[in-house]
Amino acid sequence: MTHFRRWGAVYVLLMLFLGSWAAQFFTQLIEYRNAQQDHGQPFEWSGYWPDFLASTFENWQSEWLQLVFQAILLLGAKHWIFRVDAENTERIEAKIDDLRAYLVPLERQRPVPHD
């Protein structure tokens, strides 16, 4: 569960990316088929793929690819550069403070004489 809390934004962006890419695929496919019909030519996948890939790379360069890489780099840098998480540090410090509070009174107690 902690994995999804840390990387959830990346998964959301990935789903948005894949959804927009699928939408681009189908809308461009419809447009290409209509253009082929208007010119009286049959639809061929070999003609569609270069157009689709060219427009995909244009979109990736300007929008999605840049955004996804920024999200990955920013979230990844948080974990790579700052390896010690603030919550863990506070938890450890609280435990040390509890141990000190427990041990210091024991040291200050006088030994009980044995009869």
Side-chain angles (χ1 to χ4, degrees), residues 36-65:
Q36 291 299 97
Q37 286 177 355
D38 290 345
H39 292 96
Q41 297 175 351
F43 172 80
E44 294 180 4
W45 284 103
S46 61
Y48 171 72
W49 285 114
D51 288 342
F52 173 71
L53 293 176
S55 63
T56 294
F57 290 131
E58 288 172 9
N59 287 337
W60 282 7
Q61 182 181 9
S62 63
E63 295 176 19
W64 282 106
L65 191 63

PDB file of all heavy atoms in Angstrom, residues 36-65:
ATOM      1  N   GLN A  36      -9.198   8.891 -46.813  1.00  0.00           N
ATOM      2  CA  GLN A  36      -8.979   7.894 -47.865  1.00  0.00           C
ATOM      3  C   GLN A  36     -10.240   7.704 -48.698  1.00  0.00           C
ATOM      4  O   GLN A  36     -10.169   7.568 -49.914  1.00  0.00           O
ATOM      5  CB  GLN A  36      -8.542   6.558 -47.245  1.00  0.00           C
ATOM      6  CG  GLN A  36      -7.164   6.561 -46.623  1.00  0.00           C
ATOM      7  CD  GLN A  36      -6.078   6.869 -47.621  1.00  0.00           C
ATOM      8  OE1 GLN A  36      -5.644   8.010 -47.733  1.00  0.00           O
ATOM      9  NE2 GLN A  36      -5.642   5.865 -48.355  1.00  0.00           N
ATOM     10  N   GLN A  37     -11.407   7.694 -48.042  1.00  0.00           N
ATOM     11  CA  GLN A  37     -12.670   7.543 -48.762  1.00  0.00           C
ATOM     12  C   GLN A  37     -12.939   8.753 -49.650  1.00  0.00           C
ATOM     13  O   GLN A  37     -13.448   8.611 -50.767  1.00  0.00           O
ATOM     14  CB  GLN A  37     -13.829   7.345 -47.788  1.00  0.00           C
ATOM     15  CG  GLN A  37     -13.861   5.979 -47.159  1.00  0.00           C
ATOM     16  CD  GLN A  37     -14.996   5.841 -46.137  1.00  0.00           C
ATOM     17  OE1 GLN A  37     -15.693   6.786 -45.846  1.00  0.00           O
ATOM     18  NE2 GLN A  37     -15.145   4.632 -45.606  1.00  0.00           N
ATOM     19  N   ASP A  38     -12.627   9.951 -49.144  1.00  0.00           N
ATOM     20  CA  ASP A  38     -12.838  11.167 -49.934  1.00  0.00           C
ATOM     21  C   ASP A  38     -12.005  11.153 -51.208  1.00  0.00           C
ATOM     22  O   ASP A  38     -12.417  11.699 -52.235  1.00  0.00           O
ATOM     23  CB  ASP A  38     -12.498  12.409 -49.114  1.00  0.00           C
ATOM     24  CG  ASP A  38     -13.501  12.674 -48.008  1.00  0.00           C
ATOM     25  OD1 ASP A  38     -14.607  12.082 -48.051  1.00  0.00           O
ATOM     26  OD2 ASP A  38     -13.177  13.455 -47.087  1.00  0.00           O
ATOM     27  N   HIS A  39     -10.835  10.541 -51.146  1.00  0.00           N
ATOM     28  CA  HIS A  39      -9.967  10.470 -52.320  1.00  0.00           C
ATOM     29  C   HIS A  39     -10.192   9.203 -53.144  1.00  0.00           C
ATOM     30  O   HIS A  39      -9.483   8.958 -54.121  1.00  0.00           O
ATOM     31  CB  HIS A  39      -8.488  10.559 -51.902  1.00  0.00           C
ATOM     32  CG  HIS A  39      -8.115  11.889 -51.355  1.00  0.00           C
ATOM     33  ND1 HIS A  39      -8.087  12.165 -50.003  1.00  0.00           N
ATOM     34  CD2 HIS A  39      -7.783  13.050 -51.979  1.00  0.00           C
ATOM     35  CE1 HIS A  39      -7.738  13.416 -49.821  1.00  0.00           C
ATOM     36  NE2 HIS A  39      -7.549  13.983 -51.002  1.00  0.00           N
ATOM     37  N   GLY A  40     -11.149   8.376 -52.722  1.00  0.00           N
ATOM     38  CA  GLY A  40     -11.465   7.159 -53.472  1.00  0.00           C
ATOM     39  C   GLY A  40     -10.398   6.093 -53.361  1.00  0.00           C
ATOM     40  O   GLY A  40     -10.261   5.265 -54.263  1.00  0.00           O
ATOM     41  N   GLN A  41      -9.647   6.102 -52.279  1.00  0.00           N
ATOM     42  CA  GLN A  41      -8.591   5.110 -52.096  1.00  0.00           C
ATOM     43  C   GLN A  41      -8.970   4.176 -50.944  1.00  0.00           C
ATOM     44  O   GLN A  41      -9.641   4.579 -49.994  1.00  0.00           O
ATOM     45  CB  GLN A  41      -7.264   5.809 -51.774  1.00  0.00           C
ATOM     46  CG  GLN A  41      -6.773   6.694 -52.894  1.00  0.00           C
ATOM     47  CD  GLN A  41      -5.519   7.455 -52.493  1.00  0.00           C
ATOM     48  OE1 GLN A  41      -5.107   7.443 -51.344  1.00  0.00           O
ATOM     49  NE2 GLN A  41      -4.926   8.128 -53.467  1.00  0.00           N
ATOM     50  N   PRO A  42      -8.496   2.929 -51.002  1.00  0.00           N
ATOM     51  CA  PRO A  42      -8.802   1.990 -49.918  1.00  0.00           C
ATOM     52  C   PRO A  42      -7.947   2.299 -48.669  1.00  0.00           C
ATOM     53  O   PRO A  42      -6.857   2.860 -48.767  1.00  0.00           O
ATOM     54  CB  PRO A  42      -8.440   0.624 -50.506  1.00  0.00           C
ATOM     55  CG  PRO A  42      -7.396   0.933 -51.522  1.00  0.00           C
ATOM     56  CD  PRO A  42      -7.740   2.278 -52.074  1.00  0.00           C
ATOM     57  N   PHE A  43      -8.487   1.912 -47.558  1.00  0.00           N
ATOM     58  CA  PHE A  43      -7.742   2.096 -46.294  1.00  0.00           C
ATOM     59  C   PHE A  43      -6.614   1.075 -46.228  1.00  0.00           C
ATOM     60  O   PHE A  43      -6.818  -0.111 -46.477  1.00  0.00           O
ATOM     61  CB  PHE A  43      -8.665   1.918 -45.091  1.00  0.00           C
ATOM     62  CG  PHE A  43      -7.933   1.903 -43.785  1.00  0.00           C
ATOM     63  CD1 PHE A  43      -7.533   3.083 -43.188  1.00  0.00           C
ATOM     64  CD2 PHE A  43      -7.615   0.710 -43.150  1.00  0.00           C
ATOM     65  CE1 PHE A  43      -6.850   3.085 -41.985  1.00  0.00           C
ATOM     66  CE2 PHE A  43      -6.932   0.696 -41.947  1.00  0.00           C
ATOM     67  CZ  PHE A  43      -6.548   1.895 -41.367  1.00  0.00           C
ATOM     68  N   GLU A  44      -5.416   1.536 -45.871  1.00  0.00           N
ATOM     69  CA  GLU A  44      -4.265   0.645 -45.689  1.00  0.00           C
ATOM     70  C   GLU A  44      -3.551   1.023 -44.403  1.00  0.00           C
ATOM     71  O   GLU A  44      -3.257   2.197 -44.166  1.00  0.00           O
ATOM     72  CB  GLU A  44      -3.299   0.766 -46.875  1.00  0.00           C
ATOM     73  CG  GLU A  44      -3.878   0.267 -48.178  1.00  0.00           C
ATOM     74  CD  GLU A  44      -2.900   0.405 -49.326  1.00  0.00           C
ATOM     75  OE1 GLU A  44      -1.741   0.814 -49.096  1.00  0.00           O
ATOM     76  OE2 GLU A  44      -3.293   0.105 -50.465  1.00  0.00           O
ATOM     77  N   TRP A  45      -3.271   0.011 -43.589  1.00  0.00           N
ATOM     78  CA  TRP A  45      -2.573   0.262 -42.324  1.00  0.00           C
ATOM     79  C   TRP A  45      -1.179   0.823 -42.561  1.00  0.00           C
ATOM     80  O   TRP A  45      -0.671   1.617 -41.763  1.00  0.00           O
ATOM     81  CB  TRP A  45      -2.473  -1.029 -41.497  1.00  0.00           C
ATOM     82  CG  TRP A  45      -3.776  -1.388 -40.845  1.00  0.00           C
ATOM     83  CD1 TRP A  45      -4.652  -2.347 -41.233  1.00  0.00           C
ATOM     84  CD2 TRP A  45      -4.342  -0.774 -39.676  1.00  0.00           C
ATOM     85  NE1 TRP A  45      -5.738  -2.378 -40.392  1.00  0.00           N
ATOM     86  CE2 TRP A  45      -5.561  -1.423 -39.422  1.00  0.00           C
ATOM     87  CE3 TRP A  45      -3.942   0.255 -38.833  1.00  0.00           C
ATOM     88  CZ2 TRP A  45      -6.385  -1.076 -38.355  1.00  0.00           C
ATOM     89  CZ3 TRP A  45      -4.757   0.589 -37.764  1.00  0.00           C
ATOM     90  CH2 TRP A  45      -5.960  -0.060 -37.534  1.00  0.00           C
ATOM     91  N   SER A  46      -0.556   0.405 -43.661  1.00  0.00           N
ATOM     92  CA  SER A  46       0.800   0.877 -43.941  1.00  0.00           C
ATOM     93  C   SER A  46       0.834   2.385 -44.195  1.00  0.00           C
ATOM     94  O   SER A  46       1.858   3.030 -44.006  1.00  0.00           O
ATOM     95  CB  SER A  46       1.393   0.130 -45.137  1.00  0.00           C
ATOM     96  OG  SER A  46       0.612   0.364 -46.296  1.00  0.00           O
ATOM     97  N   GLY A  47      -0.255   2.964 -44.596  1.00  0.00           N
ATOM     98  CA  GLY A  47      -0.324   4.403 -44.773  1.00  0.00           C
ATOM     99  C   GLY A  47      -0.714   5.127 -43.496  1.00  0.00           C
ATOM    100  O   GLY A  47      -0.385   6.301 -43.310  1.00  0.00           O
ATOM    101  N   TYR A  48      -1.439   4.427 -42.626  1.00  0.00           N
ATOM    102  CA  TYR A  48      -1.916   5.055 -41.385  1.00  0.00           C
ATOM    103  C   TYR A  48      -0.810   5.175 -40.338  1.00  0.00           C
ATOM    104  O   TYR A  48      -0.688   6.206 -39.670  1.00  0.00           O
ATOM    105  CB  TYR A  48      -3.092   4.254 -40.816  1.00  0.00           C
ATOM    106  CG  TYR A  48      -3.490   4.699 -39.433  1.00  0.00           C
ATOM    107  CD1 TYR A  48      -4.125   5.908 -39.238  1.00  0.00           C
ATOM    108  CD2 TYR A  48      -3.202   3.917 -38.320  1.00  0.00           C
ATOM    109  CE1 TYR A  48      -4.491   6.337 -37.973  1.00  0.00           C
ATOM    110  CE2 TYR A  48      -3.557   4.330 -37.054  1.00  0.00           C
ATOM    111  CZ  TYR A  48      -4.204   5.537 -36.881  1.00  0.00           C
ATOM    112  OH  TYR A  48      -4.544   5.952 -35.645  1.00  0.00           O
ATOM    113  N   TRP A  49      -0.002   4.132 -40.170  1.00  0.00           N
ATOM    114  CA  TRP A  49       0.993   4.110 -39.096  1.00  0.00           C
ATOM    115  C   TRP A  49       2.001   5.256 -39.141  1.00  0.00           C
ATOM    116  O   TRP A  49       2.289   5.841 -38.095  1.00  0.00           O
ATOM    117  CB  TRP A  49       1.732   2.768 -39.062  1.00  0.00           C
ATOM    118  CG  TRP A  49       0.863   1.679 -38.485  1.00  0.00           C
ATOM    119  CD1 TRP A  49       0.392   0.598 -39.146  1.00  0.00           C
ATOM    120  CD2 TRP A  49       0.348   1.607 -37.146  1.00  0.00           C
ATOM    121  NE1 TRP A  49      -0.392  -0.159 -38.304  1.00  0.00           N
ATOM    122  CE2 TRP A  49      -0.436   0.437 -37.069  1.00  0.00           C
ATOM    123  CE3 TRP A  49       0.463   2.399 -36.025  1.00  0.00           C
ATOM    124  CZ2 TRP A  49      -1.091   0.055 -35.909  1.00  0.00           C
ATOM    125  CZ3 TRP A  49      -0.197   2.025 -34.857  1.00  0.00           C
ATOM    126  CH2 TRP A  49      -0.959   0.863 -34.814  1.00  0.00           C
ATOM    127  N   PRO A  50       2.537   5.631 -40.280  1.00  0.00           N
ATOM    128  CA  PRO A  50       3.473   6.775 -40.274  1.00  0.00           C
ATOM    129  C   PRO A  50       2.824   8.075 -39.793  1.00  0.00           C
ATOM    130  O   PRO A  50       3.435   8.830 -39.040  1.00  0.00           O
ATOM    131  CB  PRO A  50       3.920   6.889 -41.729  1.00  0.00           C
ATOM    132  CG  PRO A  50       3.709   5.545 -42.302  1.00  0.00           C
ATOM    133  CD  PRO A  50       2.519   4.985 -41.599  1.00  0.00           C
ATOM    134  N   ASP A  51       1.580   8.321 -40.211  1.00  0.00           N
ATOM    135  CA  ASP A  51       0.886   9.529 -39.752  1.00  0.00           C
ATOM    136  C   ASP A  51       0.636   9.483 -38.249  1.00  0.00           C
ATOM    137  O   ASP A  51       0.827  10.478 -37.543  1.00  0.00           O
ATOM    138  CB  ASP A  51      -0.452   9.691 -40.480  1.00  0.00           C
ATOM    139  CG  ASP A  51      -0.285  10.088 -41.931  1.00  0.00           C
ATOM    140  OD1 ASP A  51       0.818  10.567 -42.288  1.00  0.00           O
ATOM    141  OD2 ASP A  51      -1.257   9.933 -42.701  1.00  0.00           O
ATOM    142  N   PHE A  52       0.191   8.330 -37.775  1.00  0.00           N
ATOM    143  CA  PHE A  52      -0.100   8.188 -36.344  1.00  0.00           C
ATOM    144  C   PHE A  52       1.168   8.359 -35.508  1.00  0.00           C
ATOM    145  O   PHE A  52       1.167   9.079 -34.502  1.00  0.00           O
ATOM    146  CB  PHE A  52      -0.746   6.836 -36.063  1.00  0.00           C
ATOM    147  CG  PHE A  52      -0.926   6.565 -34.599  1.00  0.00           C
ATOM    148  CD1 PHE A  52      -1.873   7.252 -33.861  1.00  0.00           C
ATOM    149  CD2 PHE A  52      -0.133   5.627 -33.958  1.00  0.00           C
ATOM    150  CE1 PHE A  52      -2.032   7.011 -32.506  1.00  0.00           C
ATOM    151  CE2 PHE A  52      -0.287   5.382 -32.603  1.00  0.00           C
ATOM    152  CZ  PHE A  52      -1.241   6.076 -31.879  1.00  0.00           C
ATOM    153  N   LEU A  53       2.230   7.708 -35.900  1.00  0.00           N
ATOM    154  CA  LEU A  53       3.469   7.798 -35.127  1.00  0.00           C
ATOM    155  C   LEU A  53       4.070   9.204 -35.170  1.00  0.00           C
ATOM    156  O   LEU A  53       4.597   9.686 -34.157  1.00  0.00           O
ATOM    157  CB  LEU A  53       4.480   6.763 -35.624  1.00  0.00           C
ATOM    158  CG  LEU A  53       4.093   5.301 -35.366  1.00  0.00           C
ATOM    159  CD1 LEU A  53       5.107   4.354 -35.994  1.00  0.00           C
ATOM    160  CD2 LEU A  53       3.960   5.029 -33.875  1.00  0.00           C
ATOM    161  N   ALA A  54       3.964   9.870 -36.316  1.00  0.00           N
ATOM    162  CA  ALA A  54       4.486  11.238 -36.405  1.00  0.00           C
ATOM    163  C   ALA A  54       3.733  12.170 -35.458  1.00  0.00           C
ATOM    164  O   ALA A  54       4.344  12.957 -34.727  1.00  0.00           O
ATOM    165  CB  ALA A  54       4.393  11.736 -37.838  1.00  0.00           C
ATOM    166  N   SER A  55       2.420  12.079 -35.458  1.00  0.00           N
ATOM    167  CA  SER A  55       1.650  12.948 -34.558  1.00  0.00           C
ATOM    168  C   SER A  55       1.843  12.551 -33.102  1.00  0.00           C
ATOM    169  O   SER A  55       1.835  13.410 -32.216  1.00  0.00           O
ATOM    170  CB  SER A  55       0.173  12.933 -34.931  1.00  0.00           C
ATOM    171  OG  SER A  55      -0.360  11.645 -34.774  1.00  0.00           O
ATOM    172  N   THR A  56       2.047  11.263 -32.854  1.00  0.00           N
ATOM    173  CA  THR A  56       2.306  10.807 -31.485  1.00  0.00           C
ATOM    174  C   THR A  56       3.604  11.400 -30.952  1.00  0.00           C
ATOM    175  O   THR A  56       3.645  11.930 -29.843  1.00  0.00           O
ATOM    176  CB  THR A  56       2.391   9.270 -31.432  1.00  0.00           C
ATOM    177  OG1 THR A  56       1.111   8.738 -31.752  1.00  0.00           O
ATOM    178  CG2 THR A  56       2.788   8.789 -30.045  1.00  0.00           C
ATOM    179  N   PHE A  57       4.639  11.324 -31.735  1.00  0.00           N
ATOM    180  CA  PHE A  57       5.928  11.853 -31.275  1.00  0.00           C
ATOM    181  C   PHE A  57       5.899  13.365 -31.108  1.00  0.00           C
ATOM    182  O   PHE A  57       6.552  13.909 -30.226  1.00  0.00           O
ATOM    183  CB  PHE A  57       7.054  11.418 -32.201  1.00  0.00           C
ATOM    184  CG  PHE A  57       7.348   9.950 -32.112  1.00  0.00           C
ATOM    185  CD1 PHE A  57       7.451   9.182 -33.249  1.00  0.00           C
ATOM    186  CD2 PHE A  57       7.504   9.328 -30.879  1.00  0.00           C
ATOM    187  CE1 PHE A  57       7.713   7.817 -33.162  1.00  0.00           C
ATOM    188  CE2 PHE A  57       7.762   7.981 -30.786  1.00  0.00           C
ATOM    189  CZ  PHE A  57       7.866   7.219 -31.932  1.00  0.00           C
ATOM    190  N   GLU A  58       5.114  14.052 -31.923  1.00  0.00           N
ATOM    191  CA  GLU A  58       4.955  15.498 -31.742  1.00  0.00           C
ATOM    192  C   GLU A  58       4.279  15.792 -30.404  1.00  0.00           C
ATOM    193  O   GLU A  58       4.696  16.681 -29.662  1.00  0.00           O
ATOM    194  CB  GLU A  58       4.136  16.092 -32.885  1.00  0.00           C
ATOM    195  CG  GLU A  58       4.868  16.138 -34.193  1.00  0.00           C
ATOM    196  CD  GLU A  58       3.972  16.557 -35.354  1.00  0.00           C
ATOM    197  OE1 GLU A  58       2.822  16.964 -35.095  1.00  0.00           O
ATOM    198  OE2 GLU A  58       4.414  16.466 -36.498  1.00  0.00           O
ATOM    199  N   ASN A  59       3.235  15.042 -30.090  1.00  0.00           N
ATOM    200  CA  ASN A  59       2.531  15.238 -28.820  1.00  0.00           C
ATOM    201  C   ASN A  59       3.404  14.857 -27.640  1.00  0.00           C
ATOM    202  O   ASN A  59       3.410  15.541 -26.613  1.00  0.00           O
ATOM    203  CB  ASN A  59       1.235  14.429 -28.790  1.00  0.00           C
ATOM    204  CG  ASN A  59       0.176  15.033 -29.673  1.00  0.00           C
ATOM    205  OD1 ASN A  59       0.216  16.217 -29.980  1.00  0.00           O
ATOM    206  ND2 ASN A  59      -0.766  14.223 -30.104  1.00  0.00           N
ATOM    207  N   TRP A  60       4.115  13.761 -27.771  1.00  0.00           N
ATOM    208  CA  TRP A  60       4.976  13.326 -26.666  1.00  0.00           C
ATOM    209  C   TRP A  60       6.039  14.366 -26.363  1.00  0.00           C
ATOM    210  O   TRP A  60       6.316  14.668 -25.215  1.00  0.00           O
ATOM    211  CB  TRP A  60       5.647  12.005 -27.011  1.00  0.00           C
ATOM    212  CG  TRP A  60       4.777  10.815 -26.860  1.00  0.00           C
ATOM    213  CD1 TRP A  60       3.444  10.790 -26.585  1.00  0.00           C
ATOM    214  CD2 TRP A  60       5.178   9.466 -26.998  1.00  0.00           C
ATOM    215  NE1 TRP A  60       2.986   9.513 -26.555  1.00  0.00           N
ATOM    216  CE2 TRP A  60       4.041   8.669 -26.799  1.00  0.00           C
ATOM    217  CE3 TRP A  60       6.382   8.851 -27.282  1.00  0.00           C
ATOM    218  CZ2 TRP A  60       4.073   7.293 -26.855  1.00  0.00           C
ATOM    219  CZ3 TRP A  60       6.423   7.469 -27.344  1.00  0.00           C
ATOM    220  CH2 TRP A  60       5.279   6.701 -27.130  1.00  0.00           C
ATOM    221  N   GLN A  61       6.643  14.881 -27.400  1.00  0.00           N
ATOM    222  CA  GLN A  61       7.720  15.836 -27.206  1.00  0.00           C
ATOM    223  C   GLN A  61       7.208  17.080 -26.500  1.00  0.00           C
ATOM    224  O   GLN A  61       7.859  17.605 -25.608  1.00  0.00           O
ATOM    225  CB  GLN A  61       8.325  16.212 -28.549  1.00  0.00           C
ATOM    226  CG  GLN A  61       9.491  17.167 -28.443  1.00  0.00           C
ATOM    227  CD  GLN A  61      10.035  17.526 -29.812  1.00  0.00           C
ATOM    228  OE1 GLN A  61       9.445  17.190 -30.829  1.00  0.00           O
ATOM    229  NE2 GLN A  61      11.147  18.211 -29.830  1.00  0.00           N
ATOM    230  N   SER A  62       6.038  17.533 -26.861  1.00  0.00           N
ATOM    231  CA  SER A  62       5.562  18.801 -26.330  1.00  0.00           C
ATOM    232  C   SER A  62       4.816  18.666 -25.010  1.00  0.00           C
ATOM    233  O   SER A  62       4.829  19.592 -24.218  1.00  0.00           O
ATOM    234  CB  SER A  62       4.668  19.484 -27.361  1.00  0.00           C
ATOM    235  OG  SER A  62       3.530  18.693 -27.609  1.00  0.00           O
ATOM    236  N   GLU A  63       4.177  17.522 -24.740  1.00  0.00           N
ATOM    237  CA  GLU A  63       3.308  17.461 -23.572  1.00  0.00           C
ATOM    238  C   GLU A  63       3.567  16.276 -22.648  1.00  0.00           C
ATOM    239  O   GLU A  63       4.218  16.414 -21.627  1.00  0.00           O
ATOM    240  CB  GLU A  63       1.848  17.451 -24.027  1.00  0.00           C
ATOM    241  CG  GLU A  63       1.442  18.730 -24.724  1.00  0.00           C
ATOM    242  CD  GLU A  63       0.037  18.671 -25.253  1.00  0.00           C
ATOM    243  OE1 GLU A  63      -0.737  17.828 -24.803  1.00  0.00           O
ATOM    244  OE2 GLU A  63      -0.287  19.463 -26.146  1.00  0.00           O
ATOM    245  N   TRP A  64       3.032  15.117 -23.021  1.00  0.00           N
ATOM    246  CA  TRP A  64       2.959  14.005 -22.082  1.00  0.00           C
ATOM    247  C   TRP A  64       4.313  13.465 -21.652  1.00  0.00           C
ATOM    248  O   TRP A  64       4.535  13.233 -20.472  1.00  0.00           O
ATOM    249  CB  TRP A  64       2.123  12.862 -22.671  1.00  0.00           C
ATOM    250  CG  TRP A  64       0.674  13.153 -22.578  1.00  0.00           C
ATOM    251  CD1 TRP A  64      -0.150  13.519 -23.598  1.00  0.00           C
ATOM    252  CD2 TRP A  64      -0.122  13.162 -21.405  1.00  0.00           C
ATOM    253  NE1 TRP A  64      -1.402  13.741 -23.125  1.00  0.00           N
ATOM    254  CE2 TRP A  64      -1.415  13.520 -21.786  1.00  0.00           C
ATOM    255  CE3 TRP A  64       0.127  12.888 -20.062  1.00  0.00           C
ATOM    256  CZ2 TRP A  64      -2.466  13.609 -20.875  1.00  0.00           C
ATOM    257  CZ3 TRP A  64      -0.907  12.983 -19.161  1.00  0.00           C
ATOM    258  CH2 TRP A  64      -2.185  13.338 -19.558  1.00  0.00           C
ATOM    259  N   LEU A  65       5.181  13.240 -22.584  1.00  0.00           N
ATOM    260  CA  LEU A  65       6.468  12.653 -22.237  1.00  0.00           C
ATOM    261  C   LEU A  65       7.220  13.559 -21.269  1.00  0.00           C
ATOM    262  O   LEU A  65       7.786  13.091 -20.279  1.00  0.00           O
ATOM    263  CB  LEU A  65       7.287  12.399 -23.501  1.00  0.00           C
ATOM    264  CG  LEU A  65       8.534  11.548 -23.312  1.00  0.00           C
ATOM    265  CD1 LEU A  65       8.140  10.153 -22.835  1.00  0.00           C
ATOM    266  CD2 LEU A  65       9.306  11.451 -24.606  1.00  0.00           C
TER     267      LEU A  65
END
